[in-house]
């Protein structure tokens, strides 16, 4: 059996949903699908999920979401009309949802309604059975998937029919709706694939696979035919936004392959993601944007072993979750998403760290990017050195180089404004 997930762009309009039907009609093995909320129809459009988060923000400020929700209503009704579906029951659903959002059901419930309505409409259009993810997918407090989900999903899809699941959400242990992080429908797809022991998990999107680099910047970047789970996860984490980096986890021990496919060009083979290939090869180069750093120093800072832990606790208290850290004998630098902390919060945190740890030096830097090369057995080749020399030779100063923490990636700290040039230089050095 094939499980197929269709992302936001694949279900953004009635025309796109018709393409989904053609794809499903062309292979009867595709028995279960997972759908996202309608995404952007063009680059100036808005994603339904973003609009829903706006509705929730208005309600949190004590305002009504009526006019923002009206735009969502209009979009779903237009899709239903173009697919010749029943508008009456959809309108009732929409009214009820708006009522619940205005009543303050919160961010997770509100955001989840995009996927709910999308699956509701698509199941009607296809004549397939709708399975509400809130009854099937259990999400732990830390956002990971509770393994009890697998049995539940297996039972709910054992009737021999064809099923439509809304992606992105499930419920916590007490049955309250909870979402994964953004882009989380990919995770739902993995969870469902594992539950039914699928032969293949197809992930349909608007590009023909994962690229060797960002095709918006590197014009001759190529679709990668085959990637390992680890390579795909690293590339996703480094900014290749095609497949959620957490979606690999449910698949690892059951070894189900993933095929990234293009709904707008369904004959393309796409990228196949498999457990391992045994090959030594360079897969891609990517950049993670919008990072900041904080560096702290003091003579003998780590004399007490508990200091590292205490420093981290302070960071967490201020909402900062470092994605990279580099320790020196008397210093440490953490890199984190700039969105984690405003300037005001960072200032307050620096003051606190200075006084609490009697620091000599605290420095915050914004506008950092991290460039990473990804491939299998990178340590056995000189590619990571070639990339570093090429950057230095072109006057791109590295704030750090992270080698050895992972077998499949080497990362370099650079300035945000130099990231496109750096990508071009490294791509040219290693791939052309
Ligand atoms: N609709 C959600 C988002 O925009 C989840 C998804 O599409 O996977 O993040």
């Amino acid at each position: 059996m094939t499980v197929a997930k269709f992302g936001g762009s694949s279900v953004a309009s009635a025309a796109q949903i018709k393409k989904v039907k053609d794809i499903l009609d062309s292979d009867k093995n595709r028995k279960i699908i997972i759908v996202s909320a309608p995404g952007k129809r063009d680059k100036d459009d808005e994603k339904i999920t973003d609009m829903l988060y706006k509705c929730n923000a208005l309600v949190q400020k004590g305002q009504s979401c009526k006019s923002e929700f009206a735009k969502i209503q209009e979009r779903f009704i237009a899709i239903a009309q173009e697919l010749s579906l029943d508008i009456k029951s959809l309108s009732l659903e929409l009214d009820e949802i708006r009522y619940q959002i205005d009543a303050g059901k919160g961010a997770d419930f509100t955001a989840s309604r995009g996927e709910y309505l999308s699956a509701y409409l698509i199941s009607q259009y296809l004549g397939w059975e709708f399975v509400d993810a809130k009854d099937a997918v259990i999400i732990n407090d830390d956002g990971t998937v509770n393994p009890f989900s697998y049995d539940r999903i297996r039972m709910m899809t054992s009737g021999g029919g064809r099923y439509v699941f809304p992606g992105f959400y499930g419920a916590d242990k007490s049955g309250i709706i909870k979402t994964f992080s953004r882009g989380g429908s990919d995770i739902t797809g993995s969870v469902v694939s594992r539950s039914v022991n699928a032969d293949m998990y197809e992930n349909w999107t608007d590009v023909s696979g994962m690229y060797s680099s960002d095709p918006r910047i590197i014009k001759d970047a190529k679709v990668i035919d085959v990637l390992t789970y680890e390579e795909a996860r690293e590339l996703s984490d480094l900014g290749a936004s095609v497949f959620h980096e957490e979606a690999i986890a449910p698949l690892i021990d059951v070894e189900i392959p993933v095929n990234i496919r293009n709904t707008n060009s369904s004959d393309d083979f796409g990228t196949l993601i498999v457990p391992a290939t045994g090959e030594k090869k360079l897969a891609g180069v990517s950049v993670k944007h919008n990072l900041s750093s904080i560096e702290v120093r003091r003579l003998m800072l780590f004399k007490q072993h508990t200091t590292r832990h205490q420093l981290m606790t302070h960071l967490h208290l201020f909402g900062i979750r470092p994605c990279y850290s580099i320790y020196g004998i008397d210093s440490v630098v953490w890199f984190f998403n700039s969105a984690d902390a405003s300037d005001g919060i960072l200032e307050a945190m620096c003051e606190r760290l200075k006084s609490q740890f009697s620091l000599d030096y605290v420095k915050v830097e914004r506008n950092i990017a991290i460039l990473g090369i990804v491939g299998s057995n990178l340590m056995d080749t000189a590619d990571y050195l070639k990339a570093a020399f090429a950057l230095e030779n072109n006057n791109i100063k590295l704030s750090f180089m992270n080698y050895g923490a992972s077998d499949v990636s080497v990362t370099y700290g650079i300035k945000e404004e130099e990231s496109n040039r750096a990508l071009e230089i490294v791509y040219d050095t290693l791939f052309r």
Side-chain angles (χ1 to χ4, degrees):
M1 182 201 307
T2 300
V3 168
K5 178 252 164 178
F6 292 89
S9 55
S10 305
V11 296
S13 64
Q16 287 300 93
I17 295 171
K18 287 180 184 167
K19 290 185 193 166
V20 169
K21 184 169 174 355
D22 290 342
I23 289 167
L24 297 171
D25 287 346
S26 70
D27 182 352
K28 298 280 181 251
N29 255 333
R30 298 181 176 122
K31 291 193 196 311
I32 303 182
I33 65 166
I34 291 89
V35 294
S36 285
K40 292 184 181 188
R41 290 160 291 187
D42 54 63
K43 73 173 185 8
D44 301 319
D45 200 11
E46 252 188 303
K47 290 182 179 187
I48 289 284
T49 308
D50 291 332
M51 294 157 86
L52 285 163
Y53 277 121
K54 269 193 204 160
C55 287
N56 180 60
L58 287 167
V59 173
Q60 296 308 318
K61 279 193 268 172
Q63 297 167 21
S64 164
C65 68
K66 192 171 175 207
S67 61
E68 187 63 32
F69 195 77
K71 292 193 260 169
I72 298 172
Q73 226 148 349
E74 226 172 82
R75 254 184 95 176
F76 276 110
I77 300 249
I79 293 177
Q81 272 168 337
E82 276 182 60
L83 297 177
S84 312
L85 299 174
D86 172 29
I87 307 295
K88 241 207 226 141
S89 64
L90 174 65
S91 300
L92 288 175
E93 282 280 349
L94 284 161
D95 288 345
E96 173 62 20
I97 288 170
R98 204 207 106 197
Y99 174 78
Q100 305 253 28
I101 296 173
D102 263 338
K105 284 271 259 184
D108 283 24
F109 171 83
T110 304
S112 75
R113 296 304 85 185
E115 269 67 14
Y116 172 85
L117 288 166
S118 178
Y120 173 85
L121 282 184
I122 292 171
S123 68
Q124 282 179 22
Y125 178 59
L126 298 173
W128 293 20
E129 203 174 305
F130 169 85
V131 182
D132 194 346
K134 102 174 183 321
D135 306 319
V137 180
I138 312 163
I139 305 178
N140 294 323
D141 293 345
D142 63 359
T144 55
V145 179
N146 187 305
F148 281 115
S149 312
Y150 303 127
D151 276 345
R152 280 203 193 185
I153 294 168
R154 196 174 312 118
M155 269 157 44
M156 292 172 88
T157 54
S158 61
R162 295 173 99 181
Y163 304 90
V164 182
F165 271 79
F168 187 42
Y169 73 91
D172 66 13
K173 281 182 212 137
S174 57
I176 294 172
I177 285 184
K178 185 171 168 67
T179 61
F180 291 118
S181 53
R182 294 298 304 266
S185 299
D186 287 344
I187 308 175
T188 314
S190 293
V191 172
V192 173
S193 299
R194 180 187 173 126
S195 305
V196 300
N197 197 18
D199 302 309
M200 177 66 79
Y201 168 21
E202 290 177 345
N203 192 287
W204 292 83
T205 176
D206 58 354
V207 286
S208 291
M210 288 181 86
Y211 279 76
S212 52
S213 195
D214 185 341
R216 289 167 302 184
I217 297 153
I218 306 295
K219 297 293 173 217
D220 57 342
K222 308 228 168 7
V223 169
I224 305 167
D225 293 336
V226 184
L227 273 174
T228 65
Y229 282 166
E230 275 186 314
E231 289 167 346
R233 185 169 145 72
E234 293 270 2
L235 269 180
S236 300
D237 182 58
L238 279 164
S241 57
V242 181
F243 191 58
H244 198 297
E245 72 274 9
E246 289 174 32
I248 295 292
L251 305 173
I252 291 267
D253 46 340
V254 283
E255 304 198 339
I256 296 167
V258 183
N259 192 188
I260 309 285
R261 302 282 297 265
N262 189 346
T263 302
N264 304 321
S265 186
S266 59
D267 288 337
D268 291 355
F269 174 78
T271 297
L272 193 64
I273 306 174
V274 297
T277 58
E279 257 182 89
K280 265 189 202 179
K281 68 163 177 35
L282 202 57
V285 49
S286 191
V287 176
K288 196 175 170 104
H289 295 282
N290 300 322
L291 299 168
S292 298
S293 73
I294 171 162
E295 178 178 358
V296 303
R297 287 192 213 156
R298 195 198 73 210
L299 195 67
M300 312 277 275
L301 179 61
F302 298 119
K303 173 79 179 147
Q304 279 176 336
H305 294 306
T306 49
T307 305
R308 281 167 210 261
H309 182 75
Q310 286 166 357
L311 281 165
M312 282 305 285
T313 306
H314 274 77
L315 258 59
H316 278 253
L317 284 176
F318 282 88
I320 293 174
R321 314 257 177 276
C323 46
Y324 297 92
S325 353
I326 307 174
Y327 285 89
I329 181 169
D330 291 326
S331 60
V332 52
V333 193
W334 296 284
F335 296 85
F336 55 93
N337 280 321
S338 297
D340 281 359
S342 64
D343 290 343
I345 288 191
L346 274 184
E347 219 173 283
M349 188 185 74
C350 289
E351 282 309 312
R352 171 78 82 85
L353 290 178
K354 253 189 211 160
S355 62
Q356 197 87 13
F357 297 90
S358 312
L359 298 173
D360 302 330
Y361 179 92
V362 183
K363 186 174 163 208
V364 170
E365 252 187 85
R366 295 291 204 181
N367 300 321
I368 294 174
I370 290 183
L371 180 144
I373 59 170
V374 174
S376 294
N377 304 308
L378 275 185
M379 308 300 134
D380 296 348
T381 73
D383 286 337
Y384 65 94
L385 287 176
K386 284 189 207 155
F389 280 124
L391 290 169
E392 284 291 343
N393 287 341
N394 284 280
N395 298 320
I396 293 192
K397 203 176 142 5
L398 304 182
S399 52
F400 78 89
M401 176 170 155
N402 186 357
Y403 159 84
S406 140
D407 250 7
V408 286
S409 77
V410 177
T411 47
Y412 311 85
I414 53 176
K415 288 199 179 111
E416 185 70 66
E417 66 264 28
E418 290 180 333
S419 63
N420 287 357
R421 196 162 71 86
L423 197 63
E424 181 59 50
I425 291 164
V426 172
Y427 194 82
D428 193 44
T429 308
L430 301 183
F431 288 85
R432 284 192 188 119

